Amino acid sequence: LTSMVATLGAVPVIRCPPGGPAEMVARKVCDALRDLAEQQNSFFSSNSRGALEQRPMLLILDRSVDLTTPLVHTSCYQTLVDDLLEFGLNRVKIPPSATTDGQGNVVPSSEPAKVVTLDKESDSFWAEHAGSMIPVAVEAHQKELQAVEEQENAIKRHTGQDPASLAAQNAGGTTALLSTVQSLPALLEKKRFLERHLSVLKATMAIIKARQVHRFVEPEEGMVFSKYAEKQAVKDLVSDAACKLEDKVRLFSVYLLTCNPSQQDSDELENAMMSSSAGEAIDEADREGLLKSLRYVKKILSLSRFGKGGAAPESPAHRGGAAGGAGGLWDFASLTRTAIQNASRQVKSIVGEARVLTSVRMMHLACKEATSEAQVAEQDGQLMYLDPKVRGEVAPAARIRSAFSRGVLFVVGGGCFAEHQNLQDFAAGRLALSGASAALRLGQETASGSMAGNKDTQFIYGCSELVNARQFMRQLAQCE
């Protein structure tokens, strides 16, 4: 972190939630930057002429603020490649022919695996569509590949022995032919990149079909952003023998972390999941690792309930057994709450809902302008304020309250591509916070949505380790 900030060439303002690993790392980085600035006065010389708004924001978070994001199934091209294939250091390993069995397991082959490099610096398709939904990426790939093939056929006609083509060529002079020949290397290079993506897309789609990944995306997204899910819908998925245990454990973990079900519902779903996966061909060590990660998630849930001073609300069926007239009252309250939740979800589906993750919301909170007492209280109540230029605690009146156009979001623990993409989409204005969504559609300006979409907004994402869902579950299993 210190080296990264030194590369930026400006002393950042550091914010973090109080307590835990995030505060520990933030204080160490603050001390290191302060010592560096004092030992070498000219080290951050680029900041000496800059105004306050030119200082970047460094927000340090702990992975515990959002455990669900690394677990959810997504539908973006890059996140699916990272989730379903072996992807690291911009290289993806594709099994021969991308063959899978009925359980989504890769069938062993004597042929070596194909390694494909995906680099946004040189690959225009990857740079443009890495964050696109997989159907959008597939459609765009088909269009671009078709356009390249049409150009290639046109070049063959112009340079071939077709008399009509030669006549037209001679009539137009040699300029058209020269231009066509000069464009040939770039065209072949683009075709080579598109053929790489063709193999990656085929391998990804084959695993999606075999593991039925698409069935998990929408339910998990609803859990994360609405904190609600129909128990029967979850049960239908976790009890389906055609789905892999790994995917069902991920779904069940997201359900536990977001919906806070009762103990009875949790046990019922877990039993259904284990019964349906009893015959799945899976290594016992892998099975035990998945169950360990689930046990740790359940431990986190029990600790959160203990911290709130009680257990999760019981299901309506349980409440109906209460003595006297209280049962009817509880049933009515439960039905009313369920109706409100259903109505809320229907309204959100009509007007659209901002899909901004927790970490990105906190980044927005740290970087937005705070002018009113309520905004200042919200910022300082949730995030500590550290300034490497100042020794000791910074007085509230001396803190920078203007908006930050540059920022770094660093997660202590496992980060993921889904979080990175969400941050970039928010910075580019493709996402808006829910409070600003309706106003933005009507062409109005709001304080909470004014920062997103600014062309000068630049957010950088960092983490201790970039992991996919399988690697993150292994880390959870080690904590059990």
Side-chain angles (χ1 to χ4, degrees), residues 139-171:
E139 183 179 359
H141 179 271
Q142 291 177 345
K143 290 182 178 179
E144 291 196 19
L145 188 60
Q146 182 179 358
V148 167
E149 290 176 348
E150 290 177 355
Q151 294 179 28
E152 187 178 13
N153 292 333
I155 292 176
K156 290 179 180 179
R157 287 196 302 271
H158 287 156
T159 58
Q161 298 300 319
D162 180 35
S165 176
L166 289 175
Q169 173 185 317
N170 294 331

Side-chain angles (χ1 to χ4, degrees), residues 288 291-296 299 475-480:
E288 182 60 24
L291 298 182
K292 280 186 176 181
S293 65
L294 180 59
R295 287 196 293 268
Y296 181 71
K299 184 185 296 185
Q475 293 181 355
L476 295 180
Q478 293 173 357
C479 298
E480 197 268 331

Side-chain angles (χ1 to χ4, degrees), residues 58-71:
L58 173 58
L59 176 63
I60 301 178
L61 301 176
D62 179 22
R63 182 71 271 167
S64 61
V65 301
D66 181 13
L67 290 173
T68 59
T69 297
L71 293 172

Side-chain angles (χ1 to χ4, degrees), residues 8-10 42-50 54:
L8 290 178
S42 61
F43 193 84
F44 293 104
S45 58
S46 61
N47 190 53
S48 61
R49 70 181 190 279
Q54 291 180 320

